[in-house]
Amino acid sequence: MALTLDSIHRVVQEIVKDVKEGEPLSELDAVLVGLAVRASPSALDVVGVDKYVRLALDAGATSAQVHETLVLVSGLGVHTLMAGSPIVASVLLERNDPLMLEPFDSQRQKLWSTYIGNDPFWNSMEREVPGFLESLLRQSPDAFEAFFQYCAVPWKTAALRAYIKELISLAVDASPTHRFLPGLRLHLANALQLGVGRKAILQTLAIAAAAPAHEGVI
């Protein structure tokens, strides 16, 4: 069954129906969200990126904030792993592949302890993308470690505040050419925990819905 924009919007409306209205997006936040959905791998609207970089700088963004937006949305490629790794793991399990059956070796156990451990933060990831982290680690310790290191970059550089990073991620996951509901729910929950109100959430959805189709890059 296809996941439409209308169905995404109904899911979000239901989640935020009792959330306080809150403040609208600032001009800068709205422009950064607009930049993000145009720069994402599922759009790559290079003309729009040029326009929105200029708009962001004119609205007061620093060069670090603009570039961190690009780094953040470039991580969209990990959704290939989120969707694909559990499927590969399921097929391998059907075939009794030892990779899926045996306990973690010492390398994998060390990586799991280092990056997951007992941190309850990762429970939300497991709820939205069941089995992803374990299946990724079983199939490729290198990819598992790279996933954490690359996705952590925008949080280490911290040019953007956490709430706008969550709204940017939400917007990209709600854009017409992506529509990745597990990530959208995850980032929406994070944004609400950070105090973002209903008005800003719905504005973000509207900006995402207006993102252009992917026309190719010359």
Side-chain angles (χ1 to χ4, degrees), residues 174-189:
S175 62
T177 54
H178 193 54
R179 304 192 308 279
F180 189 72
L181 190 55
L184 183 151
R185 284 192 298 246
L186 185 62
H187 294 299
L188 175 56

Side-chain angles (χ1 to χ4, degrees), residues 51-65:
K51 174 184 175 181
Y52 274 79
V53 166
R54 296 173 191 276
L55 288 173
L57 294 172
D58 290 344
T62 66
S63 59
Q65 289 174 322

Side-chain angles (χ1 to χ4, degrees), residues 145-199:
E145 188 168 25
F147 163 75
F148 283 94
Q149 291 180 347
Y150 190 83
C151 291
V153 170
W155 299 90
K156 289 180 179 179
T157 52
L160 298 170
R161 292 178 62 187
Y163 80 89
I164 188 59
K165 282 198 273 272
E166 296 296 349
L167 290 178
I168 285 170
S169 299
L170 186 159
V172 170
D173 287 350
S175 62
T177 54
H178 193 54
R179 304 192 308 279
F180 189 72
L181 190 55
L184 183 151
R185 284 192 298 246
L186 185 62
H187 294 299
L188 175 56
N190 291 344
L192 294 175
Q193 287 179 352
L194 291 167
V196 178
R198 185 175 67 253
K199 180 177 284 189

Side-chain angles (χ1 to χ4, degrees), residues 17-208:
K17 65 181 181 181
D18 296 323
V19 174
K20 291 182 179 180
E21 185 170 353
E23 296 296 318
L25 294 175
S26 68
E27 177 189 2
L28 176 56
D29 287 347
V31 170
L32 289 173
V33 172
L35 169 62
V37 296
R38 287 162 177 81
S40 75
S42 63
L44 288 181
D45 172 23
V46 292
V47 173
V49 169
D50 183 276
K51 174 184 175 181
Y52 274 79
V53 166
R54 296 173 191 276
L55 288 173
L57 294 172
D58 290 344
T62 66
S63 59
Q65 289 174 322
V66 170
H67 196 261
E68 189 168 280
T69 300
L70 302 184
V71 175
L72 180 64
V73 301
S74 71
L76 180 67
V78 302
H79 292 168
T80 298
L81 295 175
M82 290 183 184
S85 293
I87 294 172
V88 175
S90 176
V91 173
L92 293 177
L93 190 59
E94 288 176 4
R95 300 183 179 206
N96 296 315
D97 191 305
L99 190 64
M100 297 296 112
L101 298 170
E102 296 175 355
F104 286 160
D105 58 21
S106 59
Q107 178 196 16
R108 288 176 171 83
Q109 187 59 59
K110 182 178 180 180
L111 287 170
W112 186 269
S113 298
T114 299
Y115 290 102
I116 306 294
N118 297 315
D119 188 344
F121 173 83
W122 298 109
N123 293 338
S124 57
M125 174 75 78
E126 181 62 24
R127 283 193 302 271
E128 295 299 340
V129 196
F132 160 59
L133 293 169
E134 180 178 347
S135 63
L136 180 61
L137 178 56
R138 286 187 178 278
Q139 294 169 74
S140 176
D142 288 340
F144 179 87
E145 188 168 25
F147 163 75
F148 283 94
Q149 291 180 347
Y150 190 83
C151 291
V153 170
W155 299 90
K156 289 180 179 179
T157 52
L160 298 170
R161 292 178 62 187
Y163 80 89
I164 188 59
K165 282 198 273 272
E166 296 296 349
L167 290 178
I168 285 170
S169 299
L170 186 159
V172 170
D173 287 350
S175 62
T177 54
H178 193 54
R179 304 192 308 279
F180 189 72
L181 190 55
L184 183 151
R185 284 192 298 246
L186 185 62
H187 294 299
L188 175 56
N190 291 344
L192 294 175
Q193 287 179 352
L194 291 167
V196 178
R198 185 175 67 253
K199 180 177 284 189
I201 296 292
L202 297 181
Q203 280 183 281
T204 299
L205 272 189
I207 295 170

